[in-house]
Amino acid sequence: MDKPQPDAFDLNPANSQTRVRHKLAVILLITLLVAYIDRVNVSVLVADRTFLVDMGIADDPVGKGMLMSVFLICFGIGSVVLSPLGDWLGPRKTMIISILLWTVALIWGGLAAAFASMLVSRVLLGFGESMHFPMLSKFVKNWFPLHERGKANAIWLLGVNVGPLLGVPLVAWAITSFGWRANFYLLAALGVIPVILLWKYTADHPHQYKGIGKAELDYIEAALREEKEKEARFDKGGVKENLMMIVRDYRVWLLVLAYSGTSSIWWGTVTWLPAYLKEARGFSWAAMGLWSTLPYVFAIIVKLAAGYAVDKWRYPAQFYAAGLFGSAVFIYFGAFAESSMAATWLISLGIGTLAMGTPCAWLLLQQILPGKVIGTGSGLMSGVSSGISAAAPVMVGVFIALTGSYVGGLMFMVGWGVLGGIMCLVLAAKQKR
């Protein structure tokens, strides 16, 4: 009879294993959290009159939008072009290089004397942060058995939601207390934290980490043995052959389209929700600031629950489809709700439900691709989806202009939810064959 496997996050001291992989998941969370604090920086800065005047874009909405669009475009390009570094250097060194690059970007932003110089800062930040998602995914692939990856992915992906929750008040406090330039230097200093954690307490593979116990190492390696055998077969090809094998895999492209739907809904709502609550629903500034955080709270709860559920029951493609379809349904009814509070809760639930799919998306990719090329494959998924979703904030604005109300923009995001959900159902059907 096979010995029962230990629970993935069981910290009972009676078990003789170390729990290094669980500490790794927390370090990955902290790293992404710091990255997302940096990302919300611009969202707060565009509300600071001094910054806008200094940059010469006080009355230039296109210029304000460029600060986000330039970042997203470079993030998408960098995800595809730079993520193979992780397959060459390993995720640990690549992530440290990434953080050092974004630190330079933030210092440059603090020194910027003109709008063009600030755009250079955003370009550097986009390329610097572009390596994160692929490397975080590669860490999970290298360290966690398949039946633990739902929870592991859910843990580090919490940074997407916790970062803005902490970042908005932190950035607002820094700007009002010390000015917008000092805010950039504060965020640059925060980057020291993940660099130290990654350098001292992580390794590319479990067997390279001196602090791991034999029981945990044996447990991980035994669980990953089958995947390692597949990876060995995959390694027979060169770089070009490996890349072509990824590109030709229809499952990767189904997943890319689904993740593009997730990213488009996310960036569309993050960009327009505050304005929607203020202009379409008549919220005060204080109320708008408070209720704008509700989607992040829902997303944290849903993401953790989805991570545990997909490890218990599997079916990641079906869970992902449920998240996208659920998001579309909630946003649809929220758009037509007569009550402002009902609309706020429904749309927030829609954004929160969207989080059900993110751990599943990365788990599916980790199932489809061997570890040798997971960095490249993750970069492809992250990069293409980021490039597509970079247009989402603009397209929402276009649909608002064409229809004369926010309903048109919300329906654009509903459409992405339906399309992404269909891609997940096709992927689920293909996996059964």
Side-chain angles (χ1 to χ4, degrees), residues 109 111 129 247 289 298 346 402 417 423:
L111 297 172
E129 293 198 358
V247 172
F298 285 145
L346 286 167
L402 290 175
M423 295 300 102

Side-chain angles (χ1 to χ4, degrees), residues 45-285:
L45 280 173
V46 294
D48 180 57
R49 182 70 181 177
T50 302
F51 169 78
L52 297 177
V53 171
D54 288 347
M55 292 296 104
I57 56 172
D59 300 310
D60 182 8
V62 174
K64 297 175 188 177
M66 284 179 65
L67 291 172
M68 181 61 76
S69 294
V70 165
F71 166 81
L72 288 172
I73 291 169
C74 293
F75 181 90
I77 295 172
S79 295
V80 176
V81 175
L82 298 179
S83 58
L85 285 174
D87 296 327
W88 176 43
L89 296 175
R92 177 170 169 263
K93 290 180 181 178
T94 304
M95 285 186 68
I96 291 173
I97 292 171
S98 168
I99 296 170
L100 293 177
L101 181 56
W102 101 42
T103 300
V104 171
L106 291 168
I107 294 173
W108 187 301
L111 297 172
F115 182 61
S117 184
M118 184 59 65
L119 288 180
V120 172
S121 171
R122 298 297 290 171
V123 168
L124 292 175
L125 187 67
F127 281 116
E129 293 198 358
S130 68
M131 293 175 267
H132 271 192
F133 279 91
M135 295 310 103
L136 294 169
S137 178
K138 191 171 181 69
F139 262 123
V140 171
K141 176 81 172 184
N142 291 348
W143 274 82
F144 289 86
L146 180 60
H147 66 276
E148 295 185 9
R149 288 180 191 160
K151 291 183 283 290
N153 286 322
I155 291 295
W156 68 263
L157 282 164
L158 284 177
V160 174
N161 311 111
V162 179
L165 272 177
L166 300 179
V168 170
L170 174 64
V171 171
W173 168 80
I175 292 173
T176 55
S177 300
F178 308 108
W180 68 265
R181 293 187 186 276
N183 166 66
F184 275 93
Y185 304 140
L186 172 63
L187 295 181
L190 283 178
V192 174
I193 297 172
V195 167
I196 292 174
L197 292 174
L198 289 165
W199 184 257
K200 293 190 65 175
Y201 302 107
T202 72
D204 293 338
H205 297 276
H207 67 270
Q208 297 172 333
Y209 189 74
K210 295 180 180 179
I212 192 169
K214 185 178 184 302
E216 182 179 15
L217 180 60
D218 290 345
Y219 164 67
I220 294 172
E221 291 192 338
L224 298 181
R225 188 166 294 120
E226 182 179 350
E227 285 186 316
K228 289 182 178 180
E229 292 173 356
K230 292 180 180 178
E231 181 176 337
R233 293 195 298 271
F234 199 76
D235 284 348
K236 294 178 181 178
V239 174
K240 182 179 179 181
E241 289 77 8
N242 289 346
L243 179 60
M244 290 307 298
M245 192 173 294
I246 295 172
V247 172
R248 290 170 180 167
D249 193 327
Y250 70 90
R251 297 172 299 171
V252 172
W253 293 106
L254 288 172
L255 194 53
V256 165
L257 283 173
Y259 202 68
S260 296
T262 299
S263 300
S264 295
I265 296 172
W266 172 258
W267 287 113
T269 51
V270 165
T271 303
W272 287 98
L273 182 61
Y276 171 76
L277 296 179
K278 182 75 170 56
E279 297 175 5
R281 294 296 179 174
F283 281 64
S284 66
W285 277 105

